[in-house]
Amino acid sequence: MRNTCTDSAGWKSIDEMNSELIECVACPRLVKFREEVAQRYKRYRERFWSRPVPGFGDISGRILILGLAPAPAGGNRTGRVFTGDRSSDFLVSCLHEVGITNKPTSESRDDGLQYRDAYITAAVKCVPPDNRPEREEMERCSRYLDYEICSMGNLKAVVALGSIAFSAFKSYAKRRGADTRGMRFEHGKSYSVLGVRLFCLYHPSPRNVNTGKLTRDAFIRGLKEVLQYVSAQDK
Ligand code: SF4
């Protein structure tokens, strides 16, 4: 995928974008919630991050893993996306099994975790109440996601974790002029759009995992399909 970031906010790099991102207060409801939510998790003694959570990993990688938003005591606590909660435990353990991460756990910003050939981020950078960002909040935050995507000059595959992440990428594609009619989230399904392959996988939330909606085997199978697709692009 060849992108340009010319219609972005004028950032010159992801680092520059992130410097602005972590100070963002554009969504009053989410700013309030991200600060209040720490009070509900008294068992953690450390100070919560309680700010927008930047993406993480290899921005020059070929795979984008796209989640919904930081979790209250995960990314919102630790300051790193998919870090320090049960969704992260499941996700990173599976990513490690297929070789995308160097270790099977994601606990804190200084735990040495590395992503290989992949970058992970969320559609909305602040934790929303009940995991449900409002449409206006998603639209407002899309400028950051747009810049992340357009910075991935080698992008070949996007893994949408759940329907909201899927919708966020679909909206990005629409903004870039793609015809997205007929594209619906369905676990295991994939679409070609804007020269990349968009894969749908259920979000690895405790609810999906505990109810058996998402099994480890099914998730790993999905990740392997992504890796096979990306490898095939080299041939
Ligand atoms: S959700 Fe995005 S746009 Fe809204 S305050 Fe957080 S970082 Fe800013």
Side-chain angles (χ1 to χ4, degrees):
M1 185 184 199
R2 287 287 168 263
N3 286 300
T4 55
C5 295
T6 49
D7 54 347
S8 68
W11 299 303
K12 293 186 179 63
S13 67
I14 281 285
D15 287 346
E16 195 175 307
M17 186 204 85
N18 284 336
S19 301
E20 187 175 321
L21 167 68
I22 61 171
E23 304 295 338
C24 184
V25 290
C27 305
R29 185 182 82 113
L30 301 189
V31 171
K32 186 163 178 279
F33 187 70
R34 76 194 188 197
E35 289 165 1
E36 285 175 357
V37 74
Q39 301 304 316
R40 302 183 193 179
Y41 292 87
K42 302 276 188 206
R43 67 181 182 277
Y44 295 107
R45 303 218 167 151
E46 86 253 31
R47 192 175 158 77
F48 274 44
W49 172 257
S50 295
R51 286 173 158 208
V53 178
F56 177 63
D58 180 6
I59 197 72
S60 63
R62 294 177 294 175
I63 302 170
L64 168 64
I65 303 168
L66 183 58
L68 158 60
N76 186 62
R77 174 173 65 89
T78 61
R80 193 176 72 188
V81 65
F82 278 105
T83 300
D85 69 339
R86 283 189 291 159
S87 298
S88 327
D89 291 343
F90 182 95
L91 174 69
V92 176
S93 160
C94 294
L95 293 174
H96 179 252
E97 185 158 332
V98 299
I100 293 179
T101 59
N102 67 332
K103 61 201 284 285
T105 55
S106 176
E107 292 157 322
S108 65
R109 277 184 289 157
D110 58 1
D111 63 3
L113 179 67
Q114 293 173 5
Y115 280 72
R116 297 179 180 128
D117 202 17
Y119 178 83
I120 185 164
T121 195
V124 175
K125 312 301 186 197
C126 294
V127 55
D130 301 321
N131 289 324
R132 286 183 192 280
E134 292 176 348
R135 190 169 50 82
E136 295 75 18
E137 291 162 348
M138 291 197 68
E139 285 172 6
R140 214 172 282 134
C141 210
S142 64
R143 64 199 291 259
Y144 299 114
L145 179 63
D146 284 8
Y147 189 76
E148 289 173 300
I149 298 171
C150 79
S151 297
M152 294 191 74
N154 300 317
L155 186 62
K156 297 279 190 297
V158 179
V159 183
L161 299 175
S163 59
I164 296 180
F166 176 82
S167 297
F169 191 84
K170 206 170 113 173
S171 298
Y172 168 83
K174 264 190 191 167
R175 287 192 291 278
R176 292 290 183 282
D179 181 359
T180 60
R181 282 174 298 179
M183 288 173 61
R184 303 265 181 283
F185 180 84
E186 190 180 321
H187 177 83
K189 204 158 175 147
S190 67
Y191 301 91
S192 285
V193 59
L194 289 182
V196 304
R197 195 85 189 157
L198 172 60
F199 292 84
C200 308
L201 294 182
Y202 285 136
H203 190 284
S205 65
R207 181 189 295 178
N208 285 344
V209 172
N210 294 341
T211 58
K213 183 174 178 178
L214 179 63
T215 65
R216 184 178 174 86
D217 282 353
F219 197 72
I220 287 177
R221 203 162 44 243
L223 291 174
K224 285 181 174 170
E225 278 177 29
V226 175
L227 290 172
Q228 278 165 7
Y229 173 82
V230 168
S231 299
Q233 302 311 297
D234 292 337
K235 293 172 185 160

